[in-house]
Amino acid sequence: MLNSHPHLRIPAAVAALLLAVLTVASCDSTDRRAAMTAVRSRAIAYIDYDVNNNPQTIYFTNGNETRYTYSATGEKLRVLRYIANPSVTRAFGVKPEGATQGEVL
């Protein structure tokens, strides 16, 4: 934690900014809003966001997908995980069209 040292106190706004910079610096690809779109170390091929900058679908390089549903206020309502057939792969950093019925187990 950034504020865990007893003699070093960082204002919350500065700590949040540092955390955001470190998070973006650790990913492989970002979009124009500085949102992560691909993270090779976590096998994330692409992240698709809604208009409120909430992750809507996370596509993994092994073909799996995680989809999120949010309320109008941005509260996460549901998470759906789709498991792909073993023969399905996704290209890193490329937005896929979505899974077809034949790709999902």
Side-chain angles (χ1 to χ4, degrees), residues 4-58:
S4 62
H5 192 278
H7 302 293
L8 176 65
R9 300 303 294 171
I10 299 173
V14 174
L17 179 61
L18 286 172
L19 185 58
V21 168
L22 292 172
T23 301
V24 170
S26 68
C27 73
D28 296 310
S29 180
T30 59
D31 65 8
R32 59 183 166 72
R33 299 172 294 179
M36 290 186 288
T37 56
V39 184
R40 196 175 305 269
S41 64
R42 295 184 183 228
I44 296 174
Y46 194 83
I47 304 172
D48 194 23
Y49 293 90
D50 64 13
V51 295
N52 296 319
N53 211 27
N54 294 316
Q56 196 167 26
T57 307
I58 299 176

Side-chain angles (χ1 to χ4, degrees), residues 32-84:
R32 59 183 166 72
R33 299 172 294 179
M36 290 186 288
T37 56
V39 184
R40 196 175 305 269
S41 64
R42 295 184 183 228
I44 296 174
Y46 194 83
I47 304 172
D48 194 23
Y49 293 90
D50 64 13
V51 295
N52 296 319
N53 211 27
N54 294 316
Q56 196 167 26
T57 307
I58 299 176
Y59 301 94
F60 294 89
T61 55
N62 66 357
N64 294 348
E65 295 181 16
T66 301
R67 296 180 187 177
Y68 300 95
T69 303
Y70 299 91
S71 70
T73 60
E75 178 186 3
K76 191 184 303 179
L77 299 175
R78 182 171 52 177
V79 178
L80 296 173
R81 290 183 175 81
Y82 295 90
I83 307 300

